[in-house]
Amino acid sequence: MRLFSVVNREIPIAKRRSLTALFLLFFLFALPVVKSADFFPAGIDTVYASEDAAKPATPAGEGEVKAAQPEEKKKEYPPAPQLKESDYPQVKYINGRIMTWMVAQLHLWFAAFVLAVPIFVFIIEAIGMATKDKRYDKLAYEFIKVSLTAYSITAVFGGLLLFTLVVFYPDFMKYMANIFSPTFLAYALIFFAESACLYIYYYGWHAMETGFSKWAHLTVGWMLNVVGTMLMFFANAWVTFMMSPHGVDANGVFEGNLWAAIHNHLWNPINLHRVIANVAYGGSVVGAYAAYKFLSARTQEDRAHYDWMGYTANFIAIAALLPLPFAGYWLIAEIYAYSQQMGITAMGGVFAWLFITQAVLIGALFLSANYYLWCGMERSKGAVKYTKYIKYIAFVIVTCFLVWFTPHTLILTPGELKALGGPYHKYLGPLGIMPAKNTAVNIMLLFTFLSFMLYQRCNKIPTVSWASRGNAFQIAIFVTAIINIGILGIYYGYFTNTVYKVASSVLQVASTLSVIILCTVINIFMYKGAKEVAPLQWGKMPDRSQYALFLLAVSFTWLMGLMGYIRSALRQHWHVYTVFRDSSPDAYTPTIGYAANVVTVATILFMAFVIFIFWLSTLSGKKETAHH
Amino acid sequence: MKIPRLLLFVIIVAVVYGIFKAPGFFLKQPIPSSLILMYMFFVVITVLLWMTSTEEGMQGLVGPIKALIEDPGKKRLRNIVFVIVPLVAGFITYQQIKPSYEAPVELRSIHPAPPASIKVFNKTFSLQTLENPYRKLEKEDPAKFTQLVKEGGEVYFKNCFYCHGDKLNGRGHYAHGFNPLPLNFTDIGTIAQLQESFLFWRISTGGPGLPKEAAPWISSMPIWGNFLTEDDVWKVILFLYNYTGYVPRSWEK
Amino acid sequence: MKNFLKVVIFSVLVVVFYTLFANKYIPSIKPSPPPAEAKLDLGAMTMEQFIHLGDEIFHGKGTCELCHNPVGGRAPLLDQVGKTAEERLKDPRYKGKAKTGEEYILESMKEPSTFVVAGFGVKGTNDTQSPMPVVTSGAIGLKDFEVDAVIAYFQNKAGVNVTVELPKEAPSAGAEETAHVMVPAKTPEEVVTKYGCGACHKIAGQQGALGPDLTKIGAKKNKEYLRRAVINPGAEIAAGFPPGMMPPDFGAKMLAGELEMLVDYLAKSK
């Protein structure tokens, strides 16, 4: 036993060192590669000089083409190169695109996770400070511990991504570097800042537990979030520049305004969408972690703790999931506004079916989130009076979901086609377009929120005198909002023009959000000093409910992979949309099935890594228990 | 009387299935079988989730099945069920895989993505920026605009009406010779969802102008670029929107 | 361990369900492959594309069709030139260096006066001097690979074997120019060059001989007349020239500013 603890005590330090070393190694390793590929220009003015100097070394056929362009245009920046298939290095047995795709996807999953966790760790720590409830602090610490190893793996995959890009797409990276090289430097610096913040935040947790130093600790947490988000915004700028290039002319010649290139058309929509989605995603992964710990817990105390942790994580995930459809809608609207071709490719063309797949996944997310809440009512004996409502909520949610799932283009057998007289369906047709789906999703959100409200009040009875009026008022708000959403969706969606349609969807969102906010506020006052009739018994939760948390995490992961594919595939055969053509043999757009297969393999890899991380964290957990 | 959970489950699923089948029987608008399959999948899942959300419900649902398998007193019933279930499964499988004369399912996307630019009327048009040159007259010169719409109507009734119909509902004289039917412009899912440049593309390049992903190219739409002038096409687009009362998709207010 | 396996199996099943859904339920639509490069990639060009390029040059940039058309009869028709080139080599009047049909066509484009088809020479020179401008210089300025493309087009059209070789690599400057960019001309000389007026007219230092001499036109005609002559050439035909020679579509092609510049320039040419 003693030996055991000695051995294990060594692990965190060794782990920490080795992982830091690994990540530093990657970073240092990546830089020379970059340098040798002429990737970091020493100075923008000299880059062509060096390129010309390098000319004799390159094969004659290639060198001339590229050298001729900067000579002709005496401008500071070159146009986007016109590449040939031979400009893309081929590595035997490795498909460059799939490799880059997988690595980028894995990097993104981990990055989303490690960016999200500090956001709610910060919130939970603040709640813990405000309520002086030790549980929150412990929970926050456990969260950040989970994300620490993930952080190193994120960095490793980031380095690997850079490496694959430089190996498989050297000319593309060179072009991007010409425009974005100042941001690369900033990115590296901010990355170091983030590492510093994270290490101080985690390792200083127990040292900075009281008084002023706790405030300092919280500030570090805040900074960690700021630098982390900045990092993501930089990466988003590169990605969105590729989709909606700005600050370059039609030939891809950079006009010299870096801010214009960063602040391109889709930058802010993607920023918003990713921040929200990250939080939802981080919550779901931590939820899965808690669920696993719950299932394997041996003591009642552990069960209660991990039940509570799973509940909190799920709460975070769902709270972030609620506004996500709106952020997504904004993003798609902006894509449409940027380019009709891109918009129709996304919504009406090949990818229309991808959104059907997405609908299935999001339906699964909503159903499992609701299921978890319904099961959670078991925690209190007072819930009996609400369980009878579950079936109505289930009915509304499934109805909305079926509307949402109905595709615009139906798969018809010839017999059905004949019976209908054409590909249009009189009743399903109107359900296939956006107004129906907006209406459905808003109502679905409202009812998910209703599930949550019922759950919240299952163990309490309000004592304030206006309780019955308060309830009536809340019901009135709900009914009004649903009618409002319905009218907005049906009247403005079908009987006026598309400009109003977009505007009406904003109003729908506004009514949904105001219901959520109003009801929450009313609840806070109504349940102040409420009588607790049957206390929540944490840990009294059926095992099957935990699978809802796994479903949530797995579906989120897979869905992110799929949506990442479509975001990237919208560019079609362009590296930088309409400016820099992708001439590689893999420039074609794969089918959804192919993409799904790649995403599945990547998801399974990711899950394996996550299991590894959790296993590592159990090791240090064992150490703690052994130590005590 | 309280209906046993398992029975309730079966009843709900059967009733919902009946509801989905109803439009096909009574209204001649069958819901596609592929869609019913998915609908039913989610209905079954949701009903199961609802029923298993409480411990009591879970027992009500699983209890009878468990009893059927484990209870020695139910031997006869068990034997019957164990014969029927594989038979039903076998029958369904047979129905699924037996060869039929049904033609394979074809899928057409109704609004394929337009190309970036098209070549028609001996010019290259960039669809990204193309706008109807007459649209602005709607506000600036309503009298002229009405005149143009009228001319567009003439173009329509001289060329398009034979298939797309006098009410623009896709039920013209020749329409019934085609499968799929000509587009119904009064449907909210058609021109109301599109920008004018999309219509310009589809009218002037017709069926042969469809991109590959819109295959199979079962469209008899002629290449109107060969018969009409650029002006005619823009005018007829004005007419289509004016007649149906829809407003083309746009992003500025 | 049992829990672990259960969870892993459950998660994998979920993923497999999604994968099957995306592969089996969702119809598999193959997105259209990337369209062929719009810009020229000479290194990777097929012969068909090359011939097509020649076609475009013949009708467009090369301005060949202005004269080599069946209407005016001022220049020989070229749809059979791929075949007839060989016969021309045997013509006793032929004094050039070409040995093959391909070389003959090339020569006739670069040195038009080497051999003039009977009846098509400049008046009074007894078919020793060709009115055709040199296509590789001046107003037309075709690149070598473009000339080759036109030859390939001729040979293909006449149904003989295409003997020209595909270009090895892209002379990038040339490739860029072929991309049709509508840049407004800045000077009257540029207008003349851009629209190839010099191919037929004596104007701005160019020595076209098919149409009227325009170097002193400003002395005889006013602006109104000149403008009309560009926009609607058939309205009034200068004495001694056959009608229908000048393309009627300059009015549609030219930018308004260019037209005015040209008219001003002509009116001042005295």
Side-chain angles (χ1 to χ4, degrees):
Chain A
M1 195 63 216
R2 177 127 197 101
L3 185 74
F4 183 67
S5 71
V6 168
V7 170
N8 275 303
R9 197 182 306 160
E10 292 297 318
I11 287 174
I13 305 159
K15 183 187 74 186
R16 183 184 358 148
R17 282 200 188 135
S18 63
L19 286 173
T20 317
L22 198 62
F23 132 72
L24 273 176
L25 187 82
F26 250 96
F27 215 78
L28 294 176
F29 170 63
L31 274 177
V33 172
V34 166
K35 196 83 192 155
S36 68
D38 221 348
F39 178 64
F40 268 152
I44 287 154
D45 296 345
T46 59
V47 69
Y48 303 115
S50 68
E51 201 176 66
D52 281 353
K55 194 174 96 183
T58 54
E62 254 175 75
E64 261 178 43
V65 186
K66 286 177 210 151
Q69 282 162 345
E71 259 171 27
E72 192 182 68
K73 304 199 171 168
K74 292 266 188 303
K75 278 182 193 160
E76 223 178 334
Y77 296 95
Q82 292 172 12
L83 301 179
K84 295 191 296 276
E85 257 189 50
S86 53
D87 291 325
Y88 294 86
Q90 298 296 320
V91 178
K92 227 177 179 182
Y93 305 122
I94 295 179
N95 179 311
R97 175 165 76 166
I98 292 184
M99 177 89 180
T100 314
W101 182 353
M102 291 254 207
V103 172
Q105 191 58 61
L106 284 164
H107 174 63
L108 188 124
W109 277 323
F110 278 109
F113 179 63
V114 297
L115 288 180
V117 170
I119 294 178
F120 51 77
V121 164
F122 172 77
I123 296 169
I124 293 171
E125 193 188 4
I127 293 174
M129 280 172 70
T131 60
K132 304 228 167 18
D133 187 343
K134 275 278 156 214
R135 273 195 313 175
Y136 284 104
D137 206 65
K138 194 181 161 207
L139 182 70
Y141 183 68
E142 192 162 1
F143 277 170
I144 200 81
K145 192 170 75 184
V146 171
S147 87
L148 194 70
T149 324
Y151 183 75
S152 313
I153 296 191
T154 311
V156 169
F157 275 112
L160 203 58
L161 175 61
L162 181 60
F163 177 72
T164 49
L165 281 173
V166 170
V167 167
F168 292 108
Y169 299 95
D171 293 287
F172 165 67
M173 287 307 277
K174 212 191 272 178
Y175 175 73
M176 290 294 275
N178 278 330
I179 296 170
F180 284 106
S181 56
T183 64
F184 290 167
L185 200 69
Y187 189 82
L189 288 177
I190 295 175
F191 180 76
F192 280 112
E194 197 197 4
S195 312
C197 286
L198 182 65
Y199 287 124
I200 296 171
Y201 193 57
Y202 175 68
Y203 292 106
W205 197 288
H206 294 303
M208 303 162 82
E209 233 166 358
T210 49
F212 174 75
S213 61
K214 188 65 183 168
W215 280 104
H217 188 250
L218 197 67
T219 313
V220 174
W222 172 253
M223 278 164 59
L224 172 62
N225 279 308
V226 170
V227 288
T229 310
M230 271 169 74
L231 268 190
M232 188 185 70
F233 284 2
F234 273 122
N236 289 352
W238 308 330
V239 163
T240 51
F241 173 81
M242 289 165 69
M243 291 177 79
S244 57
H246 193 226
V248 292
D249 69 7
N251 294 321
V253 178
F254 182 43
E255 284 153 7
N257 183 351
L258 183 62
W259 174 243
I262 292 174
H263 188 227
N264 58 63
H265 203 89
L266 297 178
W267 190 50
N268 277 325
I270 286 261
N271 282 345
L272 179 74
H273 193 272
R274 281 193 166 172
V275 167
I276 299 175
N278 281 355
V279 174
Y281 183 57
S284 76
V285 173
V286 174
Y289 168 79
Y292 180 67
K293 295 288 249 183
F294 175 89
L295 289 179
S296 48
R298 301 237 168 84
T299 64
Q300 194 52 43
E301 191 195 349
D302 272 3
R303 244 175 113 82
H305 173 70
Y306 286 113
D307 186 17
W308 183 70
M309 183 177 181
Y311 167 76
T312 313
N314 184 53
F315 173 76
I316 292 167
I318 300 308
L321 184 62
L322 295 186
L324 202 52
F326 311 130
Y329 191 73
W330 183 39
L331 174 61
I332 265 302
E334 288 296 322
I335 288 177
Y336 235 119
Y338 175 73
S339 154
Q340 182 197 12
Q341 192 192 21
M342 219 185 216
I344 293 189
T345 305
M347 297 304 288
V350 184
F351 294 118
W353 286 102
L354 195 134
F355 281 92
I356 295 304
T357 319
Q358 186 216 21
V360 168
L361 273 113
I362 294 196
L365 290 181
F366 273 105
L367 282 175
S368 59
N370 275 288
Y371 184 63
Y372 185 78
L373 287 172
W374 300 337
C375 286
M377 292 190 184
E378 292 273 294
R379 291 188 189 118
S380 168
K381 289 207 171 61
V384 188
K385 61 178 182 288
Y386 292 119
T387 44
K388 59 174 178 287
Y389 296 119
I390 291 177
K391 52 181 171 290
Y392 304 115
I393 297 178
F395 173 75
V396 173
I397 287 181
V398 79
T399 309
C400 290
F401 174 60
L402 294 189
V403 169
W404 203 23
F405 172 76
T406 305
H408 189 186
T409 306
L410 299 169
I411 308 176
L412 298 162
T413 62
E416 288 161 350
L417 196 69
K418 210 171 163 194
L420 288 175
Y424 281 101
H425 197 288
K426 213 166 161 184
Y427 307 110
L428 296 179
L431 299 183
I433 55 175
M434 280 322 276
K437 302 191 188 295
N438 282 333
T439 309
V441 85
N442 275 291
I443 293 177
M444 198 147 87
L445 290 175
L446 277 182
F447 276 79
T448 305
F449 178 69
L450 185 64
S451 284
F452 178 69
M453 285 219 318
L454 293 185
Y455 168 78
Q456 262 194 328
R457 47 178 69 179
C458 68
N459 61 336
K460 291 176 219 152
I461 291 179
T463 51
V464 287
S465 57
W466 47 275
S468 57
R469 267 174 293 152
N471 269 335
F473 185 56
Q474 284 188 331
I475 292 171
I477 295 175
F478 257 93
V479 172
T480 319
I482 289 168
I483 292 173
N484 189 30
I485 289 170
I487 289 175
L488 283 171
I490 293 166
Y491 176 69
Y492 287 103
Y494 291 94
F495 299 102
T496 54
N497 67 58
T498 44
V499 173
Y500 294 118
K501 204 158 78 189
V502 175
S504 79
S505 73
V506 175
L507 289 177
Q508 286 182 320
V509 176
S511 23
T512 304
L513 290 181
S514 47
V515 167
I516 293 177
I517 293 165
L518 265 176
C519 285
T520 311
V521 171
I522 293 174
N523 270 349
I524 290 172
F525 286 107
M526 206 158 88
Y527 281 84
K528 210 169 206 177
K531 193 170 74 183
E532 192 158 30
V533 280
L536 284 177
Q537 291 170 299
W538 290 108
K540 188 172 170 291
M541 192 66 168
D543 279 1
R544 62 177 181 278
S545 65
Q546 302 301 312
Y547 287 89
L549 294 181
F550 293 119
L551 183 77
L552 211 60
V554 172
S555 305
F556 250 123
T557 310
W558 203 81
L559 185 59
M560 277 172 76
L562 195 73
M563 297 328 273
Y565 156 71
I566 185 181
R567 187 203 51 68
S568 182
L570 283 185
R571 284 181 281 118
Q572 299 186 305
H573 53 276
W574 300 93
H575 284 313
V576 179
Y577 194 60
T578 67
V579 163
F580 184 177
R581 197 185 155 109
D582 181 353
S583 309
S584 68
D586 285 323
Y588 68 93
T589 309
T591 61
I592 294 170
Y594 177 99
N597 295 344
V598 174
V599 171
T600 297
V601 173
T603 305
I604 290 173
L605 271 178
F606 175 73
M607 292 193 320
F609 273 106
V610 169
I611 290 168
F612 172 68
I613 292 171
F614 288 172
W615 176 72
L616 279 184
S617 75
T618 44
L619 282 188
S620 64
K622 267 182 200 152
K623 179 219 99 185
E624 267 169 35
T625 35
H627 197 58
H628 283 304
Chain B
M1 191 195 80
K2 202 167 179 330
I3 310 164
R5 276 285 162 125
L6 192 60
L7 184 62
L8 186 64
F9 172 75
V10 175
I11 291 173
I12 290 177
V13 171
V15 168
V16 172
Y17 187 70
I19 292 173
F20 288 148
K21 278 290 187 189
F25 281 115
F26 301 116
L27 303 166
K28 300 269 178 256
Q29 291 279 307
I31 299 180
S33 54
S34 58
L35 202 55
I36 291 187
L37 178 76
M38 282 319 286
Y39 279 178
M40 286 313 293
F41 178 80
F42 284 105
V43 167
V44 167
I45 294 273
T46 313
V47 174
L48 280 180
L49 290 184
W50 157 52
M51 289 191 161
T52 62
S53 63
T54 58
E55 204 54 49
E56 182 200 359
M58 179 81 183
Q59 288 315 317
L61 198 62
V62 183
I65 300 173
K66 231 176 185 173
L68 179 74
I69 296 168
E70 289 172 357
D71 189 353
K74 294 190 171 168
K75 195 174 169 193
R76 176 167 295 168
L77 183 64
R78 175 161 62 230
N79 287 344
I80 295 172
V81 169
F82 278 14
V83 170
I84 289 176
V85 168
L87 281 180
V88 170
F91 179 72
I92 293 172
T93 314
Y94 174 73
Q95 289 294 327
Q96 291 285 318
I97 61 167
K98 77 170 178 191
S100 78
Y101 297 110
E102 184 95 316
V105 173
E106 276 180 349
L107 186 90
R108 271 181 93 239
S109 65
I110 297 166
H111 299 151
S117 66
I118 54 167
K119 224 173 168 178
V120 66
F121 305 117
N122 294 323
K123 279 192 216 171
T124 304
F125 295 90
S126 163
L127 288 182
Q128 312 267 29
T129 52
L130 189 61
E131 275 173 8
N132 193 335
Y134 299 127
R135 179 58 61 187
K136 57 178 187 286
L137 294 177
E138 195 171 6
K139 283 196 190 103
E140 290 169 6
D141 188 354
K144 180 87 197 293
F145 185 76
T146 316
Q147 175 61 27
L148 289 169
V149 169
K150 202 164 157 265
E151 286 170 30
E154 274 167 25
V155 175
Y156 181 86
F157 282 101
K158 280 179 188 160
N159 300 284
C160 322
F161 130 91
Y162 305 101
C163 301
H164 288 286
D166 53 353
K167 288 180 182 160
L168 278 62
N169 59 0
R171 296 287 192 271
H173 296 93
Y174 298 154
H176 298 281
F178 299 129
N179 184 7
L181 291 174
L183 217 53
N184 172 4
F185 299 129
T186 58
D187 187 297
I188 181 80
T190 60
I191 57 173
Q193 302 295 319
L194 300 165
Q195 296 183 10
E196 288 181 296
S197 59
F198 190 97
L199 270 73
F200 183 80
W201 164 53
R202 292 290 288 112
I203 294 171
S204 52
T205 64
L210 284 169
K212 244 192 192 122
E213 70 213 46
W217 287 307
I218 38 177
S219 166
S220 353
M221 180 95 165
I223 306 173
W224 287 110
N226 294 344
F227 309 106
L228 300 176
T229 65
E230 194 185 332
D231 265 10
D232 287 342
V233 175
W234 286 126
K235 282 183 210 159
V236 85
I237 291 173
L238 290 185
F239 170 74
L240 293 182
Y241 282 106
N242 188 275
Y243 184 93
T244 55
Y246 294 129
V247 176
R249 184 170 209 136
S250 66
W251 294 97
E252 301 97 47
K253 290 201 178 126
Chain C
M1 202 59 201
K2 203 176 144 208
N3 273 325
F4 177 75
L5 281 180
K6 265 184 178 167
V7 169
V8 167
I9 290 170
F10 174 78
S11 306
V12 169
L13 280 182
V14 170
V15 172
V16 165
F17 168 74
Y18 293 147
T19 316
L20 284 179
F21 180 80
N23 277 287
K24 297 289 170 197
Y25 185 81
I26 294 292
S28 177
I29 307 173
K30 258 206 180 117
S32 46
E37 292 268 2
K39 297 255 168 72
L40 288 179
D41 182 4
L42 290 177
M45 218 173 205
T46 65
M47 188 47 90
E48 254 164 62
Q49 290 168 322
F50 197 53
I51 290 166
H52 182 72
L53 174 69
D55 188 353
E56 283 194 342
I57 293 168
F58 182 79
H59 297 289
K61 185 186 175 189
T63 65
C64 319
E65 208 191 10
L66 287 182
C67 303
H68 294 280
N69 65 36
V71 182
R74 291 295 302 196
L77 286 180
L78 297 177
D79 45 355
Q80 287 303 310
V81 70
K83 214 179 275 173
T84 51
E86 307 269 348
E87 293 157 23
R88 298 277 153 76
L89 293 175
K90 293 172 198 140
D91 195 300
R93 289 197 298 124
Y94 183 73
K95 296 283 180 298
K97 298 186 214 70
K99 296 279 178 294
T100 64
E102 178 192 336
E103 283 170 20
Y104 168 80
I105 301 173
L106 183 68
E107 192 179 56
S108 65
M109 284 199 265
K110 288 189 164 175
E111 301 159 33
S113 296
T114 312
F115 178 82
V116 182
V117 179
F120 290 105
V122 176
K123 264 183 221 160
T125 60
N126 196 20
D127 291 343
T128 54
Q129 223 179 344
S130 169
M132 175 167 153
V134 176
V135 298
T136 50
S137 66
I140 303 168
L142 294 185
K143 298 275 175 295
D144 281 351
F145 76 91
E146 289 173 321
V147 173
D148 281 350
V150 174
I151 299 173
Y153 164 69
F154 287 151
Q155 291 180 324
N156 183 56
K157 198 165 188 190
V160 298
N161 282 339
V162 177
T163 54
V164 258
E165 278 174 23
L166 284 174
K168 292 284 188 309
E169 68 204 35
S172 56
E176 258 172 38
E177 272 173 35
T178 0
H180 312 281
V181 194
M182 278 289 278
V183 188
K186 290 190 191 67
T187 63
E189 285 79 9
E190 270 183 48
V191 180
V192 169
T193 312
K194 185 171 167 186
Y195 295 100
C197 313
C200 300
H201 295 282
K202 203 169 187 183
I203 181 174
Q206 294 180 30
Q207 304 293 325
L210 287 175
D213 181 347
L214 300 179
T215 47
K216 298 208 168 57
I217 191 77
K220 286 179 252 167
K221 306 285 182 190
N222 63 8
K223 277 194 186 181
E224 235 85 308
Y225 176 91
L226 292 169
R227 195 177 295 118
R228 191 180 60 207
V230 178
I231 299 173
N232 183 9
E236 207 171 317
I237 304 292
F241 293 94
M245 280 293 299
M246 180 153 158
D249 58 349
F250 281 128
K253 277 186 189 163
M254 277 188 192
L255 301 172
E258 291 176 338
L259 177 64
E260 284 313 300
M261 220 186 313
L262 182 68
V263 170
D264 272 354
Y265 172 79
L266 290 175
K268 280 183 198 135
S269 307
K270 290 176 186 170

